[in-house]
Amino acid sequence: MTDRELTAAGITDARLRADYTRCRRLNAQHGKTYFLATRLLPVERRPAVHALYGFARWADEIVDGLGTQAPPTERAAALRALHADLSAGLRHGRSEHAVVRAVADTARWYAIAPALFEDFMASMRSDLVVTDYPTYDDLYAYMRGSAAAIGLQMLPVLGTVVPREQAAPYAASLGVAFQLTNFLRDVGEDLDRGRVYLPADLLAAHGADRALLEWCRATGRTDRRVTSALRETERLTRRVYARAAPGIALLDPVSRPCVRTAFVLYGGILDAVAADGYAVLHRRAAVPRRRRAGVALRGLTAALAARAAARLPVGARASGGVREAVACTAGPEPGPGTHAPAGDAARRAV
């Protein structure tokens, strides 16, 4: 599958193919819901998504994965080195780091604004020193880089049927909705890392605070005040999903099944949290396998129908790559107002 994706995307350089393959492995290993949805995209767009996810995951591993024993200074130095490597890669297309090479290539082909990566790295740096957030506005300032920016990075890959700036607010909101979902699911794990991503004023409105969360985590007990605050966090997150939902219809039709599937699966995590009695301080809620399979099957059916309507091959573009596939199978040009991914156009022009 990897070779077919890379060939369809027109990625022929052996070293770069290995770089993208590494990113794909990171996505498959750490972003199971994200990876499942990505497989519903046309094959030539998947490597770009793997690269974006792989880089974000790599940075996150520096912040968290070096272990709690690693001093903040060591993690900060590693993050600075990654940032410098990324900046050079985005400017010159060269790097000694596989994940950076892949994401820089993706940024080039899809004309992704470097500022979005700067915003992301700023939020990663903040994770080294900020351990909680007084208000939702404070938390949103963090998520603007850690989540909204990723939604905006994805938008050129997905393509739109309207000018990209019209779809941008919805893409940003969807990134935030996904991250808020993860924050709710991972409250206990984040506490173990010394962080609380639930706004302090939201907790206080229900009579809870960080100390109470830590007590619940340490003792294995629950508290109605904490449960009430977690329920309010779920409601807040669902409101963000509702703001993001209209944006799916603004995407390229062949990308919609992927995003809709991710939308439903991540929303299903909220359902699982509620069904488990908001016990996120003690265990991670998960969408039942049968439900995941059902959502994925519906997404696959929609994806096949969208590709057929666009006159794309059902399984993939032609095996000879994007350039050959365009000549043989692309069908008519997008209609007025349709904004195909920049990377598709760029590689086709090579």
Side-chain angles (χ1 to χ4, degrees):
M1 175 65 75
T2 302
D3 284 343
R4 188 176 63 152
E5 292 175 353
L6 296 171
T7 300
I11 301 167
T12 57
D13 178 79
R15 187 187 195 193
L16 199 53
R17 287 171 74 94
D19 299 337
Y20 274 100
T21 298
R22 183 172 185 181
C23 292
R24 187 181 189 275
R25 290 196 189 109
L26 286 169
N27 195 351
Q29 180 180 356
H30 297 288
K32 291 181 170 50
T33 297
Y34 205 77
F35 182 74
L36 176 61
T38 299
R39 297 191 67 179
L40 299 178
L41 283 174
V43 287
E44 73 273 13
R45 302 190 197 184
R46 296 176 201 168
V49 178
H50 298 323
L52 292 170
Y53 180 91
F55 177 78
R57 181 68 198 187
W58 195 262
D60 193 58
E61 284 295 301
I62 290 174
V63 173
D64 292 332
L66 291 180
T68 53
Q69 296 80 13
T73 53
E74 181 180 335
R75 285 178 281 163
L79 203 59
R80 283 195 302 272
L82 178 65
H83 189 189
D85 201 20
L86 172 67
S87 297
L90 292 174
R91 284 197 307 270
H92 308 300
R94 295 188 299 273
S95 171
E96 293 306 310
H97 195 293
V99 173
V100 173
R101 285 195 299 270
V103 81
D105 182 68
T106 288
R108 174 192 172 199
W109 286 117
Y110 285 92
I112 300 172
L116 295 175
F117 295 98
E118 290 295 323
D119 290 345
F120 173 76
M121 293 304 295
S123 287
M124 293 301 97
R125 289 194 299 273
S126 130
D127 264 333
L128 296 177
V129 294
V130 178
T131 61
D132 49 37
Y133 297 86
T135 68
Y136 181 76
D137 286 344
D138 296 312
L139 179 63
Y140 188 82
Y142 166 79
M143 293 190 294
R144 189 163 47 242
S146 63
I150 292 177
L152 294 173
Q153 290 170 12
M154 282 284 296
L155 200 53
V157 180
L158 297 173
T160 62
V161 294
V162 296
R164 193 179 300 166
E165 60 270 17
Q166 185 175 333
Y170 301 101
S173 290
L174 189 57
V176 169
F178 288 168
Q179 186 163 62
L180 285 171
T181 301
N182 288 340
F183 286 162
L184 180 58
R185 180 194 62 191
D186 299 338
V187 171
E189 295 175 19
D190 288 331
L191 266 177
D192 293 343
R193 299 184 183 106
R195 302 193 199 104
V196 176
Y197 291 105
L198 306 181
D201 61 348
L202 185 153
L203 291 171
H206 296 269
D209 57 18
R210 180 181 184 134
L212 184 57
L213 295 177
E214 291 171 340
W215 179 83
C216 290
R217 179 70 170 172
T219 63
R221 298 176 66 179
T222 59
D223 185 284
R224 60 178 179 78
R225 293 166 293 179
V226 170
T227 300
S228 179
L230 295 172
R231 187 179 293 112
E232 177 61 28
T233 301
E234 179 209 348
R235 288 195 289 263
L236 182 156
T237 304
R238 291 191 188 278
R239 290 195 294 271
V240 180
Y241 275 103
R243 289 199 295 272
I248 297 175
L250 306 183
L251 299 175
D252 185 336
V254 297
S255 295
R256 291 173 199 167
C258 162
V259 177
R260 188 174 292 109
T261 296
F263 184 97
V264 173
L265 287 175
Y266 273 91
I269 295 172
L270 297 179
D271 298 335
V273 167
D276 197 33
Y278 302 94
V280 290
L281 280 160
H282 312 302
R283 54 185 174 268
R284 172 182 279 212
V287 179
R289 184 173 297 179
R290 179 172 293 183
R291 181 176 179 188
R292 284 171 58 87
V295 172
L297 181 59
R298 290 192 295 274
L300 177 60
T301 301
L304 294 176
R307 292 177 207 177
R311 297 173 62 183
L312 296 178
V314 168
R317 286 191 184 269
S319 59
V322 172
R323 287 166 287 185
E324 292 181 17
V326 168
C328 299
T329 63
E333 290 297 312
T338 302
H339 297 253
D344 286 356
R347 290 196 195 273
R348 291 168 189 167
V350 172

